[in-house]
Amino acid sequence: MAAAVKPPPQMFPDRTDRHFPCRRIVVERTLIIIKPDAVQRGLIGEIIRRFERRGLRIVAMKMMRISPELAERHYAVHKGKPFYPGLIRYITSAPVVVMVLEGPRAIEIARRTMGATHPAEAAPGTIRADFGVEVGRNLVHGSDGPETAAFEIPLFFNEDEILSYERVTDPWIFE
Ligand code: IDP
Ligand code: MG
């Protein structure tokens, strides 16, 4: 009779392992748009990679063409500013990739990963600094606060398009 096979050691502790509990994290969600210039320049993967390896969890993602109506709702706060017509033209000019990222302080972490609005002022190592020159071609959008995120996310995603899941690596990213 074959000897009983010992189960392999658990590779990743899970939340039920009392020796390695994962604090219940306070989760934030933020809307990210990989803008038309980034898509046209073949930077979709590069930009996703930066957010993904930072540790933020991707809970929704799709490619789409933003309609003028949606662009006007999303950028309503900028209506009347001199750059507004150009901004609407830019964001509707070609397909984009939209994502919802989740994690503790996800809004701030995403904004810091993106860099300052104007690429010339963005810190080296950020997406906007590493790939951008002009403010009107700054590659990526990220919600600027919790209220903005709560307003923007439902413009782009239905509730059933936003997934709720845990990664086996979560305890190695979230303390
Ligand atoms: P943010 O994207 O960093 O939150 P906002 O001030 O909310 O920056 O502006 C929204 C977007 O409008 C910017 O990302 C940029 O694409 C565009 N934008 C802002 N200011 C200017 C400008 O002075 N000229 C052209 N485009 C601008
Ligand atoms: Mg903004």
Side-chain angles (χ1 to χ4, degrees):
M1 202 170 129
V5 178
K6 224 174 120 193
Q10 199 182 0
M11 277 237 281
F12 298 100
D14 65 28
R15 283 165 192 245
T16 61
D17 181 344
R18 67 194 168 83
H19 300 296
F20 203 107
C22 196
R23 239 188 328 110
R24 274 218 76 73
I25 51 167
V26 180
V27 158
E28 261 181 17
R29 285 176 175 175
T30 185
L31 181 84
I32 300 295
I33 305 175
I34 301 176
K35 292 179 174 181
D37 48 336
V39 173
Q40 292 296 315
R41 293 173 58 193
L43 293 171
I44 298 172
E46 173 66 37
I47 291 172
I48 293 174
R49 186 180 72 92
R50 288 175 177 228
F51 290 120
E52 192 179 29
R53 75 177 180 179
R54 187 86 202 249
L56 295 174
R57 189 194 283 144
I58 301 167
V59 292
M61 179 157 60
K62 64 185 169 191
M63 194 167 200
M64 65 183 291
R65 181 82 180 254
I66 298 181
S67 68
E69 296 73 30
L70 177 56
E72 283 170 25
R73 288 172 73 190
H74 174 69
Y75 280 129
V77 46
H78 296 302
K79 200 175 170 94
K81 296 183 185 168
F83 63 82
Y84 177 79
L87 175 59
I88 299 299
R89 273 201 305 279
Y90 163 50
I91 205 69
T92 59
S93 61
V96 298
V97 173
V98 285
M99 302 190 284
V100 178
L101 301 181
E102 186 178 85
R105 297 174 71 176
I107 295 167
E108 180 190 358
I109 288 170
R111 294 281 296 188
R112 287 180 185 273
T113 302
M114 290 157 51
T117 302
H118 202 306
E121 288 152 22
T126 63
I127 295 165
R128 284 165 165 175
D130 288 356
F131 303 107
V133 173
E134 294 234 77
V135 67
R137 299 287 183 269
N138 63 357
L139 303 133
V140 66
H141 167 86
S143 307
D144 67 5
E147 295 78 25
T148 319
F151 169 75
E152 292 176 349
I153 292 169
L155 292 179
F156 291 87
F157 291 100
N158 296 323
E159 199 47 55
D160 65 1
E161 292 178 293
I162 303 172
L163 304 176
S164 192
Y165 67 102
E166 287 182 12
R167 302 167 298 188
V168 291
T169 47
D170 279 350
W172 300 108
I173 297 167
F174 308 136
E175 191 186 353

